[in-house]
Amino acid sequence: VNLSGQVRAQVVRSTLGESDGDGNVENGIGSLDVNASSTVTQARTKAPALAGGLALAVAGSLARTTIDPDVDARLLGGVEVYADGDVTVTATTDHDADAIAWGANGALGVTIGLSGATTEIAPTVNTSIGDSTIIAADSITIEALHNVEKSDGTAATGTANAEATSSGGAILLGVQGSWARSKPQASVGTTVGTAEITAATGNVVVQSKSRQSGDVEALGDSFSIIGVGIQRGDVDTIARNELTIESGASITSRRGDVTILADSYDYGHTRVRSGSGGLVGISEAFSDIDVSQETLLDVADNVSITAADSVTVKSTYDTDQSINADAISNSGVAVPTATADVRLSGIESE
C-alpha cells in the first residue's frame, strides 16, 4: 500500500472584508478557516505465507505500507483578511499505518521461512503566510500539525506499526528469519513572511507541532536438529520541525497573548524475540532505534511582537524510546545472541 498525493487549501491575491483607514475591521467577514487536512487511519497491509513439504518447505511474506502526502495551507499574494470573528490557517495530518507479515512452514527435511514488514509515515506538512499579508480578527491561529489532533479535536494516536513473524519446524534443518522496520519521518513547518497580524480581543498563536511514533515487533521460532532463528526490529525516525518568522513581520494581540511554539515528540518501541530448539540451536535477536530530530524556531531581525498580556517564544522536544531484544535457545548446543542499541541525535534551537 502506497498512499501519496497532495492536499492544499489556499487563498491567493484576495481581500476579504473591509477596514477603516487605520487598519481596524470596519465591515468584516464573520470568520475564516483555511484548513488542509489529510486523514489516513486504515492503511494496512497483511501478507500471510504457509508452506509444507516432505523434503523442503519454503515460505516467504513481505508487507509494506507507506503514507507520504504533501499537505499545505497558505495565504499568498498579498491577501488581506478583515474578520469580526476568528481566523485559522491550519495544515494537519492524522496518519496510522500497519504492515503485518506472517509465515509458517513445516517439513521432514528442511524448512526456510522469511518474513519482512516495513511501514513509513513521511508527510510534508506546511502552513505559510506570505509577504504583504494582512490579517485583522478577534483571534488568530496559524499552525502546522502532524499526528497531533484527530478531526474531532481529540488527541491523535497514529503509529507506523510493523510486525513480522516466522516460525517452522523440520527434522534436519530449520532456518527462520523475520525483520520489521518502522520509519516515522515527517517534515513539518510553519512560516510567516513580512505579514501584519493583529488580534483585536483574543490571542495570536503561531505554532508547528509534530508527533512521531514507531512500533515494531519481530518474532521467530525454529525447531529441528539444527535450528537457526534470526530476527531484527528497527525504528528509524528522521524528523524536521521548523517555525520561522521572517524579517519585517508584525504580530500583535491588543488584549491577549502571543504564543510562538515549535514542539516535537518522538516515540519508539521495539520487541524482538528469536527462539530455537533442537540438537543445535542458534538464535540471534537484533534491534536498533535511531532518532534524528531537528526542532527549530527562528524569529528573524526586525520582527515586531507585542501583546497586552504575555509573549511566549518556545521550542520544546520530548522523547520516549524503549527497546527489547531476546534470544532464546533450548538446545543441546545453544548459541543465543541479542543486541540492542538506541541512538538519539539532532538540534533543538530557538
Side-chain angles (χ1 to χ4, degrees):
V1 174
N2 188 354
L3 302 175
S4 60
Q6 189 172 60
V7 180
R8 175 173 293 167
Q10 66 181 19
V11 179
V12 180
R13 293 186 294 273
S14 300
T15 299
L16 307 178
E18 298 177 358
S19 68
D20 61 19
D22 297 323
N24 300 307
V25 177
E26 184 174 63
N27 185 19
I29 61 174
S31 62
L32 176 65
D33 185 8
V34 180
N35 188 299
S37 176
S38 171
T39 301
V40 182
T41 58
Q42 293 293 325
R44 183 171 301 163
T45 306
K46 290 186 177 181
L50 298 172
L54 294 177
L56 175 66
V58 179
S61 61
L62 296 174
R64 183 180 182 92
T65 303
T66 301
I67 304 173
D68 61 348
D70 294 331
V71 183
D72 301 292
R74 310 189 298 187
L75 300 184
L76 300 176
V79 170
E80 297 184 19
V81 180
Y82 304 101
D84 294 322
D86 303 329
V87 170
T88 302
V89 184
T90 302
T92 182
T93 59
D94 177 15
H95 292 163
D96 186 77
D98 292 291
I100 301 172
W102 177 82
N105 54 72
L108 295 178
V110 177
T111 61
I112 300 174
L114 298 174
S115 297
T118 302
T119 56
E120 182 175 359
I121 298 179
T124 300
V125 187
N126 286 308
T127 294
S128 303
I129 306 299
D131 292 344
S132 303
T133 298
I134 298 174
I135 305 175
D138 282 353
S139 66
I140 300 165
T141 301
I142 301 163
E143 60 188 2
L145 310 174
H146 168 60
N147 270 6
V148 174
E149 291 183 358
K150 296 182 179 180
S151 58
D152 61 3
T154 60
T157 58
T159 297
N161 177 64
E163 302 175 18
T165 302
S166 181
S167 60
I171 293 178
L172 298 178
L173 173 65
V175 179
Q176 307 298 324
S178 59
W179 66 94
R181 188 180 186 189
S182 172
K183 299 169 67 177
Q185 300 186 353
S187 176
V188 184
T190 297
T191 302
V192 176
T194 57
E196 183 179 330
I197 298 169
T198 305
T201 60
N203 302 323
V204 177
V205 176
V206 182
Q207 61 183 3
S208 182
K209 302 178 74 173
S210 175
R211 174 187 167 274
Q212 309 263 22
S213 179
D215 204 333
V216 303
E217 183 177 77
L219 309 176
D221 292 294
S222 181
F223 302 97
S224 62
I225 292 177
I226 301 176
V228 180
I230 301 174
Q231 275 66 46
R232 184 175 190 99
D234 299 327
V235 176
D236 297 324
T237 300
I238 302 174
R240 184 177 180 87
N241 182 16
E242 185 172 12
L243 191 157
T244 302
I245 310 295
E246 296 181 352
S247 179
S250 173
I251 301 174
T252 302
S253 175
R254 292 175 177 170
R255 297 185 184 178
D257 304 324
V258 172
T259 300
I260 299 173
L261 172 66
D263 176 67
S264 299
Y265 171 75
D266 293 329
Y267 169 84
H269 172 72
T270 70
R271 178 174 176 255
V272 181
R273 193 199 74 234
S274 179
S276 63
L279 181 62
V280 178
I282 300 172
S283 300
E284 296 186 349
F286 304 98
S287 186
D288 288 339
I289 293 179
D290 291 310
V291 179
S292 177
Q293 168 67 249
E294 293 185 348
T295 302
L296 308 172
L297 191 159
D298 181 24
V299 177
D301 294 339
N302 300 317
V303 171
S304 172
I305 302 176
T306 59
D309 294 327
S310 63
V311 173
T312 301
V313 179
K314 189 175 184 180
S315 173
T316 61
Y317 173 59
D318 292 306
T319 184
D320 181 2
Q321 309 292 331
S322 62
I323 195 167
N324 189 340
D326 294 317
I328 303 169
S329 181
N330 296 313
S331 307
V333 179
V335 187
T337 303
T339 303
D341 292 302
V342 177
R343 291 180 289 273
L344 303 176
S345 63
I347 301 171
E348 178 186 353
S349 70
E350 62 180 352

